[in-house]
Amino acid sequence: MKSLADGMTICASLPITVNMVQVLTKSAGGDEAAAVFNAACGNLVGVFLSPALILMYLGVTGEVDLGGVFFKLGLRVVLPIVIGQILQKFVTPAKEFVKRYKKHFKKAQEWALVFIVYTVFCKTFSQGSDASPGDIFLMIAMQFVMLVTVMLLAWVCLGILFRKDPKLQAMGLFGCTHKTVAMGVPLINAIYESNPLVGLYTLPLLIWHPMQLVLGSAIAPRVAKYVERKELTLSDGKDENQPITQIPDQTTNIYETMNTDAAVADVTNKT
């Protein structure tokens, strides 16, 4: 059970997803630009912050080589990002090639991630584990309760902080609670590669990821209706608070017209 608890701590220390947060933010009518910035900045900082948090919470054992951990992270996470940005900015044929075969690259990425997870669990099950099926089901229930709790807490706090910006509130609902598998699995594998319990360290993240997708997809339409209703209320409030400047001018015009008509009537009577 301790390895699953450690895995939940590791999951809590990871940055947010990129694609899922953007898709759910768009579906909920949230601020897409803020979602992109939050995801990019969070993942970039997470490369250095997440290992520090994990090692601070769980402690550094003799099995963990700090220098080797950061070297592997740089090689597996930072270097591909740097190369990708260079190709995107300066190599136009490579950029066009990726656009043309984007679906195939996405499918290859998914299968590569599945293969990494498979090898991780092969190592764990081949060498045994300290968790029973009951412990795993208990962990799943706790993950669900924690996800619902942090989403409610994020919604309330963001509603207070961004009272007049419901789009940011909608974005933060997903941006504050989601966890990335694409970066999380390589990171866990880099830190605990030689640990036979690495599969159990990864399992809470693999439970959290589909759970956040299902729950986020279920509430996104309701959040979109809330954002639309909130923006309509705010716009109506602005219209009501605007000073009325047209009525005095119209009243003056009415009196001027009445005086003109009276003068014309007097001239007509005298004539």
Side-chain angles (χ1 to χ4, degrees):
M1 184 63 183
K2 183 179 182 302
S3 56
L4 291 176
D6 291 343
M8 293 173 67
T9 303
I10 293 170
C11 178
S13 304
L14 296 175
I16 67 172
T17 58
V18 178
N19 295 331
M20 190 183 298
V21 169
Q22 294 179 21
V23 171
L24 290 177
T25 298
K26 184 177 181 180
S27 300
D31 192 332
E32 296 181 49
V36 172
F37 175 80
N38 188 27
C41 183
N43 278 267
L44 185 61
V45 175
V47 174
F48 307 99
L49 184 59
S50 292
L53 289 175
I54 292 170
L55 297 176
M56 181 183 70
Y57 291 143
L58 301 182
V60 181
T61 63
E63 300 176 354
V64 178
D65 180 13
L66 291 179
V69 167
F70 284 102
F71 175 76
K72 292 175 184 176
L73 287 177
L75 191 62
R76 299 175 184 178
V77 179
V78 179
L79 184 61
I81 293 176
V82 173
I83 294 176
Q85 292 299 316
I86 292 174
L87 292 176
Q88 184 179 3
K89 295 293 183 182
F90 302 105
V91 185
T92 304
K95 184 178 179 179
E96 296 298 327
F97 179 79
V98 172
K99 284 184 178 180
R100 188 180 306 118
Y101 298 101
K102 185 176 181 180
K103 293 182 179 180
H104 299 286
F105 278 108
K106 186 176 181 181
K107 187 65 67 175
Q109 178 186 0
E110 293 173 354
W111 281 109
L113 185 60
V114 169
F115 177 74
I116 294 173
V117 173
Y118 171 76
T119 57
V120 166
F121 278 94
C122 283
K123 181 185 297 184
T124 298
F125 288 119
S126 65
Q127 300 186 17
S129 66
D130 62 348
S132 64
D135 295 335
I136 294 175
F137 283 109
L138 179 61
M139 180 270 296
I140 294 174
M142 292 179 65
Q143 288 283 82
F144 177 76
V145 172
M146 289 175 61
L147 178 58
V148 173
T149 301
V150 295
M151 290 186 77
L152 289 174
L153 183 61
W155 183 254
V156 173
C157 293
L158 292 168
I160 296 173
L161 294 174
F162 304 107
R163 190 174 304 172
K164 296 183 179 181
D165 198 342
K167 287 183 175 290
L168 280 178
Q169 185 181 4
M171 184 280 299
L173 176 65
F174 307 111
C176 292
T177 57
H178 282 209
K179 299 298 176 183
T180 174
V181 169
M183 178 180 169
V185 172
L187 190 149
I188 296 171
N189 203 27
I191 298 176
Y192 300 104
E193 190 172 15
S194 60
N195 194 319
L197 300 177
V198 64
L200 296 180
Y201 293 157
T202 311
L203 185 59
L205 174 62
L206 300 180
I207 298 298
W208 187 282
H209 189 267
M211 196 179 291
Q212 70 188 7
L213 175 60
V214 173
L215 190 57
S217 300
I219 66 175
R222 294 174 174 82
V223 176
K225 292 180 181 178
Y226 165 81
V227 171
E228 183 179 358
R229 186 171 62 251
K230 186 77 172 179
E231 287 191 327
L232 184 61
T233 302
L234 292 172
S235 62
D236 290 343
K238 289 180 181 179
D239 293 339
E240 291 176 359
N241 293 329
Q242 287 180 352
I244 301 175
T245 58
Q246 299 294 330
I247 293 178
D249 295 336
Q250 293 176 355
T251 305
T252 303
N253 293 334
I254 292 172
Y255 282 118
E256 290 177 354
T257 304
M258 291 175 63
N259 292 333
T260 303
D261 292 340
V264 172
D266 291 339
V267 172
T268 304
N269 292 331
K270 290 178 181 181
T271 305

